[in-house]
Every structure is written in C-alpha cells, then in structure tokens.
Amino acid sequence: MFRTALRNVLAHKARLLMTVLAVMLGVAFVSGTLVFTDTLSQAFRNQSAKSYDNVAVAVSALHGGDDTDKTPGLSEDVRRKIEAVDGVAEATGRVSGFAGVPDKDGRLIGVGWSNKGTNFAPGKDGKDPAYQFTDGSGPVRDDQIALDRDTATKGGYQVGDTVRVATNGPVKEYGLAGVFTTEDGAVSAGGSLVLFDTDVAQKLYVEPGFYQDITVAAKPGADAAKILAAVEPLVGEAGEAQTGQALADQQARDIESGLSALNQMLLAFAGIALFVGVFLISNTFTMLVAQRTKELALMRAVGASRRQITRSVLAEAALVGLVASVVGFGLGVLLAMGLRSGMSAFGLKVPGGDLVVTSTPLISALAVGVLITMLAAWLPGRRAAKIPPVAAMSSVHAVATTKSLVVRNSIGAAITALGAVGIIAGAGKGGESGRMLIGAGAFFTLVGVIVLIPLLSRPVIALARPVLKSFGVAGKLAGQNAVRNPRRTGATASALAIGLTLVTGLSVLGATVGSALDRMTTDQIKADYMVSMASGDGMNQAALDALEKVPGVSAVSPQQAGYFEIEGDFASVSGVTPGDIEKVLKLNVTSGSLASLADGKIAVADKTADKQGWKVGTALPVEYGDKKKEKLTVGAVFESSEFVSPVLVDTKILNAHDSKPYIPQIFVAMESGQTAAGEKALVQALGDNPAITVMDHKDIRDAFGGQINLMLNIMYGLLAMALIIAVLGVVNTLAMSVFERQQEIGMLRAIGLDRRRVKRMVRLEAVVIALFGAVVGIGLGSFLGWAIGETMRSSLPGYALVLPWDRIGVFLLLAGLVGVLASLWPARSAARLNMLTAIKAE
C-alpha cells in the first residue's frame, strides 16, 4: 500500500502542487516566526550581556528628584565610597533622560520616546568603555556634546559643528566634540543618543552631585558577590544593588517576555493560514479519491481492506506533507531573514548576530506540515475506504445521501446558533470578559457556517443567476457547475470566507473606533492647536508663559497633571486656567459653573460625582502631595471627557503644592483660527524646539487614528498569507474540476461551444465561487466587528457603528479579481482540450 501511495503521488504531481504550496506557506509562516523570534531574542540577549561584560555590580536609585522628602538619587559621596571598596577598579555614575537633535530642516531625528541623553563618564584612562569614538572625543566642557554615528549621519553633522539640542527645558546649542558607536538600546531602537559632560547631565536630569545609576567594575580576580555584600550597606535605602550577571539575566528574561507577545501574534496568524489550508488539502484529497473511485473499488475487490485503503490515502498525505514541510522550512528561514531586514523599514535596528536556527523550528515545521496534511486527508481517506467493490462496475460516483445531508445541516445550524448566542451575549456584557465570550462565540460560529456552507451555496448562488444569464450559455453552465457539487463549492468558498471574515471584522472595528475618536477630537477640542512633547514627557511653566505672550492668542490652558487625596482616596486632577478652559475644550456642564474655578473651587466629572455622591456645594477634605490639607468646594459638575481628569482645579492651587509642575498638553486658541502664520508664531515662541509638537485639528486626528490605521495595515499584511492560500484553493478546485469534466467539456466543444465560451464558463464559475465566499465572510465579519465594538461603547464617547462600504466594495472587487486570476490556468487548460480525446476520457 505504501508503494501504491508513492505511485499515486508521482502520478498526480500537478494536481498535488497547490496542496504542497498551501502547506509550504503555512509551515514557512510557523518556522519563520520561530526562527525570527529566536534570532531576535538571542541578538538582544547578546547585546544585554555585552553591555554588562565589565560590570561586577550595578546600583540603581530607588527614587528621583520628585520625591521632596528623599534624596534625588545616588550621591557622589556614595560613588566614592563604593570605588574605595576592596576589589573595585572603578565606579561609574550615570544619569539619563530625554534629549532630541533636529536635522538640517529642523525635524526631530528619531521618534521621541527613543531619543536619549546621558553623561560621558571617562575612567582613569580618559575613555568611557560604553562608547567607541570614530571621530573626535567625548565632551569635557559644559558647551560640548557627542553624538552617536547614525544620528550624526542623519543630521549631516561633523565634529566642530554647532548642534541644537532639545531637552525638557529650552533648546541650547553645543559644539560637537565627537562621534561614537554604541550598543545602547536607544540607538538600536532607531533613536538618538547625546552625551553631555557629567555636570551638565546632572543639572538636566537629576541634581548636581547625584546619579541615577552606578556601575562597578571589578579588579581581576575579585569576587562580584563579595563586592555586592560590601556595596549594599553603603547604598542603604537610596538604591538597589545587584550583580551585573543578575541584571543581565533579568534583562534577558524581560526580552523573552517582551518578544513572547510578538511570537504569539505571528503564530496566531500562522495558525489561521494553516486552518485555511486544511480546506484546500481536504478538498484536494476528496477530489482525488472521487477520481479514483474505480481504482479503489478494484483494490477492494482484489482483497484490500478498508484499513489498508485509509492507510494508503494517509501515506500519500504524509509524503505530500513531508515534502511541503521541508521546502516550507527553508522558505521560513528566508522569511526570518527578510523580517529581520524589514525591521529597518520601521526605523528599528536589530543588534548584529548570526541567524539562530535550532531544532525546535525544524521539528515544529515537520510536525505541523505532516500532521495538518494527514488530518485534512483523514476524512477523504475514510470515505475512500467505504467505497464498495461493486462501484468498480459503475462509472457513477457515490453521492451524499439525504440522511447525511440532514444530519450535517442540523449539526451546522446548532453550532452556528450556539456561536451567535455567545457573540450577542459578549456584546451585551462588554469589557474584557465580553470580548472573551465573543472570541469563543466567533470560533463556534465559523465552524457552524463552514458546516452549513454547502447548504447556503444553492440559494446564495441562485441570486447571481440573472446576472449569469446575460453571458449566454457560458453563464448558465457556470451557474450550474458552481452548485453541482455543493460540498466542494462550500469547501473552496470556506477558505476565502475565513480570511475575509477576519479582514472585514478588523475593518469594521477600525472604522468604528476611528470615527469615534475623530468625533471625540472634533466635538471636544475647540482650541486651534494642541502643544505637547514628542517624547511624551511634560513641559515646564516656561513653555506655558511663552505661549501666553504670543500675539493673536485668545486663550491658553494647560492640562496640568496632578493628584491629591479626597476623603482618603486618590484622585487624578487636571490643573487648568479658569476662563480659558471653556474656550479651548468643550466641557458640557450639567450643574454649577466652570467660572467657579477662579474662586478656588473644583469641577468634578459627572461619573465621579454620581459614584461618590457629590454635588455642587459639597465641601471635600483634600490632602496634597506635600501633606498639606484644606477643604475644597465643588463648584461645577461636567460630562466626563477624555482630555481632562475627573477633577479640575486652577493651576495656581496645584503649583502652590508642587515645585515641578507636569504639563503633558497645552491647548491654544487663536483670534484668527488656524493659520500658517499663527502656527509659525507659536513654534518661534517655543524657541524652535524640535522636541515640542504643535498640532492642528488634522494632526490631532492623525495622532489618535494613525495607530489604528497602522495596526490595520499590519493585520492585513499578516492575513494576506491566509488569503493567498485561499486563492490557491480556488485554482486547485477549478483545475481538478476541469480534469473531472474532460468528457463533458469535449461534448460541449463537439456540439458548438467554442474555446472562448469555454474559458468564459470556467472564469464565471470561479468568480461566482469567490464572490460567494466573500459575501459569507463579509457578512460574518461585519457581525463580529459590531459585537467587539459594542464592548468598547462605554469607553468611547460618541460611539456608533460604522460600516466601511468603500472597503467592503474593494473586498468584493478583489474577490471577483481573485476568481478571474485563479481561473486563468484552468480556463486555458479547458479550452485547449482536444474534443475527441476528451470525449473518450473516463
């Protein structure tokens, strides 16, 4: 039977090619993901270990300058005491924070969060081991800096040039003393690194004479554990000390944890691709078995048992899966290399290192490919074993009995109903638990629809018959062929339906959330501009003062983040400017007046007020961060807004208890509205600071909606693999269907159907099947998109379902195009059949 299986594989190479491709693509996705994440993980682990090669002990400060009752970090005195410990060669102090450098056009190099500044800390030999200078040297004066090589190249800077550097304070100019290379994570992430003289860095990021971290280098032969034991008492409560090896191990674990989410996401899409591939594989073997009915029946007649027949089909599937797995693994390695190189397109760098190919991806590839193929071929093999020997006497293939169809449709309807109930229940429940219910319901609904899809094919395709009739005899035959074998049509359409269910669901959810965010910005922001730091950090009072002095500004209010305790409970607070906050944000007041903020009262969001039982006139005991207490009265209740905290108060009240105000956003209204001149005036008032962004309404909408569109595009790209496999399924089904119908096509040619109309018949059949799958997928995807969106209703003001008809139209057009492209080869093969040879074919 094994020889029989091998003979069948070799005899049907062309027919099994599409199955091999489907399995190969799925396996490539799985193995490529595993190789890619292993390589990425190893590269970052090596980088982490390298950065701690010469570190025996690392000390980190437990608090910073914002803690008024504690030291701002690790003092110079502590560093000196550590350096005097027996066995310590050097103790290097480090500070770091945000530092941005503009290019020649004034645009920030990097993406804000990855722009970093730190101190140049030379040792006794005058060199800092963390940086290797390719030109010049490190900064040794307060008017000097050094830049990493990539940043210097992007900005067109050379040693001796003047460079503008933005920190959380005003922009300052420095002379470029040197250019260096480094393994620092900020540079690896596509950002920039600026080195300052230590005194300058301390003033910028902590306080003079203090560090955030101290790294300890040991003398040759010194024991890191003994050094750690001696250092810990010196640090006390100001910091935490651990060995460099322990810190490197912890970072390695953090890297593993961070990459696990990426790994799981990629494997999930690989699973989807393989799931779609199951339909193609099952369809292929079902058709092969049907075409070999006589052969299998004769084998039964000469003594082959049912078990042997099943084993023959499974052995055939195992051979196909093995070949596809081996080729797919090789393709997966190439895919991993491509993903690694492609990260640069997103401004991310991967540390250097060899490609990591372990036994795990190889074993996974072989296991997944062979098992998936055999699993998909099991049912056709089981059907093959049931072929009675008497079938060898007839050319009529066995058809499904009425009883089997009734049982199938009843089971499908029950599973679909169960899934739909779960989805609707999840939509009503909302939140994370609701989405879990929807996920389970979606699985059962997909399975149920797949079971029911042969039943659905007849009525849905019947709707297209009036259109098909306009194509004459070719169109009429195409419609009949599409429903001739409902199971085959359903299995082919299922693959497309699954892919388009996911794509449509994502599109509906993205359009709905994007529209809600868009309405949120346009409905609630009355200001012409929103000013913020590119790094996500806060601005200082100087930026607010500068904006208030710009000619043409009609209103300015910060959203100054703060907190205090009310009746012992923590409360998030926004400091605003009374009188101006109403002009820059639309805050719907339900009772009281926001004008009361100027009288030292507070405004409270309605949800918070209802929960706590507060109303206008309620006096609340407040304790500030500096432990001072007083009573504040509620002067207004307003509808909750995403742009301010639940409690509003005059900035003067917060500033009296906070020496370092944190201002993440400033809203500005101009007398002349949004104009190029007005925006330029604001930018100039802020000192042409590249780290500060001035956003108009369009920029604000893009900032909120841009991430959604980026995620959608990434998801579309990952789902493309499943859709490609679905297309292969359409090609395979049509090609084998043409082979099955050789005699029929020959007869049609003989009675006058020319080659052009034969091609049209096959093309129309492909388009009808593809559109059928698309309609099912779009309908189910829209349902899922609605349900998931309902779980977010409470957190999205102005939520309303949005169906992206333009994208849905594109999906339908693409499905039709898929049908046309998938039919090119089968249609050409059908048209080129010799009619006399075809009539004699069995």
Side-chain angles (χ1 to χ4, degrees):
M1 296 309 293
F2 179 78
R3 287 197 300 271
T4 301
L6 182 60
R7 177 181 60 80
N8 285 325
V9 169
L10 296 175
H12 302 122
K13 292 188 291 292
R15 298 183 222 173
L16 290 168
L17 177 62
M18 297 300 172
T19 301
V20 170
L21 286 173
V23 179
M24 181 185 71
L25 288 173
V27 168
F29 212 150
V30 172
S31 56
T33 294
L34 294 174
V35 171
F36 172 65
T37 51
D38 284 348
T39 300
L40 211 60
S41 177
Q42 186 62 46
F44 281 115
R45 277 200 302 269
N46 290 341
Q47 182 192 52
S48 175
K50 186 177 179 180
S51 63
Y52 290 103
D53 273 349
N54 300 316
V55 177
V57 173
V59 184
S60 300
L62 292 177
H63 40 77
D66 292 337
D67 296 305
T68 55
D69 59 338
K70 297 179 181 178
T71 59
L74 301 165
S75 67
E76 173 66 18
D77 183 54
V78 169
R79 189 197 69 81
R80 288 173 180 167
K81 288 179 181 178
I82 292 174
E83 198 167 48
V85 169
D86 186 35
V88 172
E90 283 184 336
T92 305
R94 300 282 184 190
V95 294
S96 63
F98 170 76
V101 176
D103 58 20
K104 296 296 185 182
D105 296 325
R107 292 189 297 266
L108 185 69
I109 298 173
V111 290
W113 58 268
S114 61
N115 297 114
K116 179 181 171 184
T118 187
N119 61 307
F120 175 66
K124 296 173 183 177
D125 59 356
K127 297 180 180 179
D128 189 327
Y131 312 104
Q132 293 74 47
F133 282 84
T134 59
D135 192 13
S137 60
V140 293
R141 301 198 311 265
D142 59 5
D143 61 348
Q144 290 182 330
I145 62 164
L147 292 176
D148 69 272
R149 185 170 58 188
D150 289 343
T151 301
T153 301
K154 291 174 185 176
Y157 296 116
Q158 296 180 347
V159 172
D161 288 349
T162 298
V163 182
R164 300 174 70 244
V165 180
T167 57
N168 289 335
V171 177
K172 292 185 179 180
E173 293 185 345
Y174 299 86
L176 184 59
V179 176
F180 59 88
T181 59
T182 179
E183 296 292 330
D184 191 280
V187 178
S188 298
S192 61
L193 181 62
V194 181
L195 295 185
F196 298 95
D197 176 65
T198 297
D199 290 341
V200 174
Q202 287 177 330
K203 291 175 184 176
L204 286 172
Y205 302 126
V206 204
E207 286 187 14
F210 287 90
Y211 302 97
Q212 294 164 327
D213 302 284
I214 295 175
T215 56
V216 180
K219 293 177 180 178
D223 186 356
K226 290 181 179 179
I227 294 175
L228 176 64
V231 166
E232 283 180 328
L234 299 177
V235 175
E237 296 182 357
E240 179 183 15
Q242 56 185 320
T243 63
Q245 184 60 52
L247 193 57
D249 292 343
Q250 179 60 49
Q251 286 204 0
R253 288 192 293 271
D254 292 342
I255 289 167
E256 291 281 356
S257 176
L259 290 176
S260 65
L262 173 65
N263 192 31
Q264 289 169 8
M265 182 184 74
L266 291 175
L267 286 176
F269 283 97
I272 292 169
L274 287 168
F275 185 54
V276 172
V278 166
F279 293 94
L280 191 159
I281 299 164
S282 181
N283 225 12
T284 300
F285 279 93
T286 298
M287 288 187 284
L288 285 174
V289 167
Q291 291 168 13
R292 287 157 45 200
T293 300
K294 278 192 175 183
E295 175 190 331
L296 294 171
L298 282 170
M299 291 175 66
R300 289 290 315 282
V302 297
S305 66
R306 289 187 175 186
R307 186 173 296 177
Q308 285 178 312
I309 295 294
T310 302
R311 282 205 298 260
S312 174
V313 175
L314 290 178
E316 192 175 335
L319 288 172
V320 172
L322 182 63
V323 172
S325 297
V326 171
V327 178
F329 177 74
L331 187 63
V333 173
L334 295 176
L335 178 64
M337 295 170 64
L339 285 171
R340 184 177 177 181
S341 302
M343 289 186 72
S344 60
F346 292 92
L348 301 174
K349 293 186 192 175
V350 179
D354 297 330
L355 195 70
V356 178
V357 183
T358 64
S359 59
T360 301
L362 178 59
I363 294 172
S364 300
L366 292 173
V368 167
V370 174
L371 289 177
I372 287 291
T373 309
M374 292 181 69
L375 178 66
W378 175 77
L379 190 57
R382 188 167 173 269
R383 287 178 187 155
K386 291 182 178 181
I387 296 174
V390 73
M393 307 298 296
S394 172
S395 60
V396 179
H397 297 168
V399 295
T401 64
T402 303
K403 180 181 177 182
S404 69
L405 293 174
V406 170
V407 171
R408 176 190 177 113
N409 295 334
S410 299
I411 293 173
I415 295 174
T416 304
L418 177 64
V421 168
I423 292 171
I424 293 171
K429 188 176 182 63
E432 187 65 30
S433 57
R435 286 190 282 275
M436 296 281 287
L437 267 176
I438 291 172
F443 173 77
F444 284 107
T445 303
L446 266 176
V447 172
V449 169
I450 289 166
V451 174
L452 281 175
I453 220 168
L455 176 66
L456 297 174
S457 63
R458 290 186 180 276
V460 174
I461 292 176
L463 297 175
R465 282 181 181 167
V467 178
L468 292 173
K469 286 181 180 178
S470 64
F471 292 93
V473 175
K476 184 177 180 181
L477 290 171
Q480 291 174 348
N481 290 334
V483 295
R484 175 182 295 182
N485 191 329
R487 281 185 173 177
R488 182 186 302 168
T489 297
T492 306
S494 293
L496 275 173
I498 292 168
L500 282 173
T501 293
L502 298 171
V503 170
T504 304
L506 287 171
S507 297
V508 170
L509 185 62
T512 300
V513 174
S515 177
L517 291 174
D518 188 56
R519 282 196 298 273
M520 187 172 71
T521 56
T522 54
D523 291 350
Q524 296 189 30
I525 297 180
K526 296 164 66 175
D528 297 304
Y529 299 100
M530 185 175 79
V531 181
S532 61
M533 291 288 291
S535 62
D537 293 330
M539 292 167 284
N540 55 26
Q541 186 66 34
L544 182 61
D545 295 339
L547 291 172
E548 289 175 341
K549 297 175 183 177
V550 175
V553 169
S554 58
V556 177
S557 179
Q559 193 284 104
Q560 180 175 322
Y563 75 95
F564 46 59
E565 291 185 10
I566 302 177
E567 297 179 335
D569 293 328
F570 175 88
S572 178
V573 180
S574 286
V576 299
T577 302
D580 282 3
I581 186 63
E582 304 97 316
K583 299 176 183 177
V584 296
L585 290 179
K586 185 178 180 180
L587 298 175
N588 297 319
V589 178
T590 59
S591 61
S593 172
L594 292 178
S596 62
L597 293 172
D599 300 326
K601 296 182 180 180
I602 62 173
V604 183
D606 52 1
K607 292 180 181 178
T608 301
D610 293 342
K611 182 179 179 180
Q612 300 293 339
W614 301 336
K615 58 184 179 179
V616 173
T618 302
L620 302 173
V622 169
E623 181 177 329
Y624 298 99
D626 59 2
K627 305 303 180 183
K628 293 183 179 179
K629 300 178 181 180
E630 70 171 312
K631 282 196 173 183
L632 295 177
T633 303
V634 176
V637 177
F638 63 93
E639 292 182 4
S640 299
S641 170
E642 295 295 316
F643 293 97
V644 292
S645 299
V647 178
L648 302 183
V649 67
D650 190 342
T651 54
K652 294 177 181 177
I653 294 177
L654 284 183
N655 291 342
H657 303 278
D658 188 355
S659 59
K660 294 183 178 180
Y662 178 73
I663 305 175
Q665 294 104 20
I666 301 175
F667 296 96
V668 182
M670 307 290 289
E671 294 174 354
S672 56
Q674 294 181 6
T675 63
E679 184 173 342
K680 184 178 179 180
L682 296 178
V683 171
Q684 289 178 342
L686 294 168
D688 286 324
N689 191 329
I692 298 180
T693 59
V694 179
M695 296 187 288
D696 58 19
H697 285 173
K698 181 180 181 302
D699 295 328
I700 296 170
R701 286 196 297 270
D702 291 344
F704 280 96
Q707 293 182 349
I708 294 174
N709 292 330
L710 176 62
M711 287 300 297
L712 281 177
N713 291 333
I714 292 173
M715 296 293 185
Y716 289 157
L718 293 172
L719 286 171
M721 187 72 75
L723 293 175
I724 289 172
I725 294 174
V727 172
L728 292 177
V730 179
V731 175
N732 209 26
T733 299
L734 288 172
M736 300 188 77
S737 180
V738 167
F739 178 83
E740 277 185 3
R741 303 200 314 256
Q742 284 186 72
Q743 193 175 52
E744 175 189 324
I745 293 170
M747 290 294 295
L748 290 171
R749 290 290 316 283
I751 62 176
L753 194 69
D754 59 22
R755 290 185 175 183
R756 181 172 56 85
R757 283 187 289 181
V758 169
K759 287 182 179 179
R760 182 182 298 169
M761 175 186 72
V762 177
R763 288 196 194 107
L764 289 173
E765 182 182 347
V767 170
V768 166
I769 293 173
L771 288 176
F772 169 51
V775 168
V776 173
I778 288 171
L780 190 54
S782 299
F783 179 47
L784 289 176
W786 163 81
I788 297 173
E790 286 294 311
T791 65
M792 303 177 181
R793 179 182 287 274
S794 60
S795 59
L796 283 175
Y799 169 89
L801 178 67
V802 176
L803 292 177
W805 294 110
D806 53 343
R807 294 189 186 183
I808 290 174
V810 169
F811 296 157
L812 287 172
L813 287 174
L814 288 176
L817 181 61
V818 162
V820 172
L821 294 176
S823 68
L824 291 178
W825 174 43
R828 187 168 178 268
S829 299
R832 293 178 65 186
L833 283 174
N834 183 292
M835 67 180 73
L836 294 178
T837 305
I839 290 171
K840 291 192 299 179
E842 293 189 6

